[in-house]
């Protein structure tokens, strides 16, 4: 399933195919499981497009590059893919990496449909070249904050590592919760061992701890430490960024993986298209597909529709974002300009807060919808 990058000599240059460049984290320190799900969705949609006749008779081809969660590597991949003549870019899971890719795509005049990254400021300045399927972080994380308030949490600790993404998330939570009677206590994980987090939670009388940290570490160690501390039996652990979505989380933590609410971008019920794609993705992945796999599928569905309607001309593709109307796996996809968002944005994909059921950690419970 992990498509290795093709050597430049092997790239097709006869013009017979319409090529899309795909940016995906497929090696560490990237979140490989997320990358595999994203790629599975992209590849399934490409196969279906080609089975249905391709792009006006020309096959659609995916040219995959592994970003490994490295912004510089992603920017270099964008340069290479632009030289190879791709019609557009797709993908990327990590927000900081997608931001670097978006900056290069904007500079080069290469359309980029970002699948999964949520950072509000995906580009420094407004751009016509970039569109996004995933909801902006401010939208999803405010829904998560509403869930926290509804569950009675007012003193919320965040265990955070240094990153533009984590800092942005902490700021969104603080700004939203403060006027509503909530307090956010920031714990700097550069200075605290996982066991020391427990003492901080007790001292600050926190009722919830949010993991704004990398996976598997230090997230797994923090969860184990808190779960084993008798003083913290009533403390809720949360992971708004979605770490518990993937099977690797349950494998790492066993029973401790359950009852950790996170954000997931799926409707309560899939449409007939969504259900059909879910079945195909499950067969391809050998496990239940995450929302990231659906994001990958929807990305190619949108790009294929645009390429059929407007050809492979990059400027015409970018100019078409506001006219997109595509039935995706999770609803009708249309892009608009949204206040505070610098790219063309689908506003909005369905948003849920879910967790793994303590009775059956392989099953998810929907706790809140936004």
């Amino acid at each position: 399933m992990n498509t290795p990058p093709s050597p430049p000599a092997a790239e097709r240059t006869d013009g017979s195919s319409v090529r899309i460049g795909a940016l995906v984290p497929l090696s560490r320190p990237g979140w490989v499981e997320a990358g595999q799900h994203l790629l599975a969705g992209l590849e399934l949609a490409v196969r279906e497009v080609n089975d249905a006749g391709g792009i006006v008779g020309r096959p659609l081809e995916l040219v995959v590059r592994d970003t490994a969660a490295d912004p510089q590597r992603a920017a270099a991949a964008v340069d290479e893919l632009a030289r190879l003549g791709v019609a557009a870019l797709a993908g990327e899971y990590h927000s900081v990496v997608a931001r670097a890719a978006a900056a290069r795509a904007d500079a080069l005049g290469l359309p980029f449909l970002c699948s999964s990254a949520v950072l509000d400021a995906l580009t420094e300045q407004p751009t016509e070249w970039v569109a996004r399927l995933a909801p902006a972080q401010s939208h999803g994380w405010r829904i998560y904050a509403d869930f926290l308030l509804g569950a009675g949490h007012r003193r919320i600790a965040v265990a955070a590592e240094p990153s533009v993404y984590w800092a942005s998330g902490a700021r969104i939570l603080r700004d939203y919760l403060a006027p509503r009677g909530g307090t956010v206590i920031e714990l700097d994980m550069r200075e605290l061992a996982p066991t020391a987090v427990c003492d901080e939670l007790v001292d600050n009388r926190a009722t919830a701890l949010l993991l704004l940290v990398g996976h598997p570490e230090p997230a797994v160690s923090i969860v184990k430490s808190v779960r084993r501390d008798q003083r913290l039996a009533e403390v809720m652990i949360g992971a708004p960024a979605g770490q518990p979505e993937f099977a690797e989380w349950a494998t790492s933590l066993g029973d401790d993986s359950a009852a950790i609410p996170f954000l997931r971008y799926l409707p309560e019920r899939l449409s007939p298209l969504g259900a059909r794609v879910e079945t195909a993705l499950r067969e391809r992945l050998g496990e239940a597909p995450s929302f990231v796999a659906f994001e990958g599928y929807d990305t190619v569905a949108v790009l294929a529709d645009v390429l059929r309607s407007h050809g492979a001309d990059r400027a015409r593709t970018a100019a078409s974002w506001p006219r997109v109307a595509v039935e995706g796996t999770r609803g009708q996809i249309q892009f608009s300009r949204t206040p505070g968002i610098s790219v063309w944005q689908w506003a909005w994909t369905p948003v849920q807060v879910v967790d793994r059921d303590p009775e059956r950690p392989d099953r998810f419970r929907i706790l809140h919808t936004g």
Side-chain angles (χ1 to χ4, degrees), residues 286-346:
E287 61 185 16
S290 69
F291 68 85
V292 178
F294 289 95
E295 289 175 329
Y297 183 95
D298 287 343
T299 302
V300 170
V302 169
L303 287 175
D305 182 79
V306 169
L307 292 167
R308 285 191 199 104
S309 301
H310 304 285
D313 180 81
R314 292 172 178 177
R316 286 211 299 264
T317 293
S320 72
W321 297 134
R323 296 193 294 278
V324 164
V326 172
E327 190 61 36
T329 59
R330 298 160 300 146
Q332 178 87 355
I333 299 169
Q334 295 180 284
F335 299 113
S336 59
R337 286 300 190 186
T338 305
I341 310 300
S342 59
V343 301
W344 287 100
Q345 175 71 53
W346 179 19

Side-chain angles (χ1 to χ4, degrees), residues 32-69:
V32 174
E33 193 173 8
Q36 290 169 342
H37 279 236
L38 179 56
L39 183 59
L42 293 166
E43 289 180 333
L44 174 65
V46 167
R47 189 185 76 192
E48 291 188 359
V49 167
N50 287 332
D51 287 348
I55 306 300
V56 196
R58 296 169 66 190
L60 188 61
E61 183 182 352
L62 208 58
V63 185
V64 180
R65 293 295 178 266
D66 174 18
T67 62

Side-chain angles (χ1 to χ4, degrees), residues 106-127:
D106 179 53
L108 294 168
L110 181 58
F112 175 29
L113 180 50
C114 182
S115 305
S116 297
V118 299
L119 199 64
D120 281 39
L122 202 58
T123 54
E124 292 298 322
Q125 302 295 329
T127 175

Side-chain angles (χ1 to χ4, degrees), residues 47-101:
R47 189 185 76 192
E48 291 188 359
V49 167
N50 287 332
D51 287 348
I55 306 300
V56 196
R58 296 169 66 190
L60 188 61
E61 183 182 352
L62 208 58
V63 185
V64 180
R65 293 295 178 266
D66 174 18
T67 62
D70 182 337
Q72 290 178 308
R73 183 164 167 172
V78 174
D79 287 342
E80 181 202 1
L81 291 164
R83 288 194 305 272
L84 290 171
V86 300
L89 292 173
E92 195 45 50
Y93 175 81
H94 297 283
S95 278
V96 177
V97 180
R99 192 170 67 150

Side-chain angles (χ1 to χ4, degrees), residues 172-312:
I172 291 162
L173 293 169
R174 189 170 54 246
D175 291 350
Y176 191 81
L177 290 167
R180 295 165 176 80
T183 300
V184 173
I185 302 129
E186 292 197 45
L187 307 179
D188 186 344
M189 293 314 298
R190 288 173 298 184
E191 300 176 1
L192 293 173
T195 48
V197 170
C198 298
D199 293 334
E200 293 286 341
L201 295 176
V202 172
D203 293 345
N204 285 288
R205 306 189 318 284
T207 65
L209 169 67
L210 305 187
L211 303 171
L212 275 55
V213 294
H215 172 80
E217 292 301 334
V220 168
S221 293
I222 293 171
V223 172
K224 288 179 175 178
S225 295
V226 173
R227 292 284 204 223
R228 280 153 184 67
D229 193 314
Q230 295 297 315
R231 301 170 298 170
L232 304 175
E234 301 301 314
V235 169
M236 185 206 89
I237 305 174
Q243 295 95 324
E245 168 80 358
F246 297 98
E248 185 184 352
W249 177 265
T251 302
S252 301
L253 283 161
D255 291 345
D256 286 342
S257 68
I260 298 178
F262 64 94
L263 286 166
R264 183 169 73 162
Y265 308 129
L266 288 174
E268 289 196 58
R269 283 186 184 81
L270 288 168
S271 66
L273 169 64
R276 180 183 67 73
V277 169
E278 179 185 40
T279 300
L281 285 169
R282 186 184 289 270
E283 189 175 309
R284 183 171 277 258
L285 287 162
E287 61 185 16
S290 69
F291 68 85
V292 178
F294 289 95
E295 289 175 329
Y297 183 95
D298 287 343
T299 302
V300 170
V302 169
L303 287 175
D305 182 79
V306 169
L307 292 167
R308 285 191 199 104
S309 301
H310 304 285

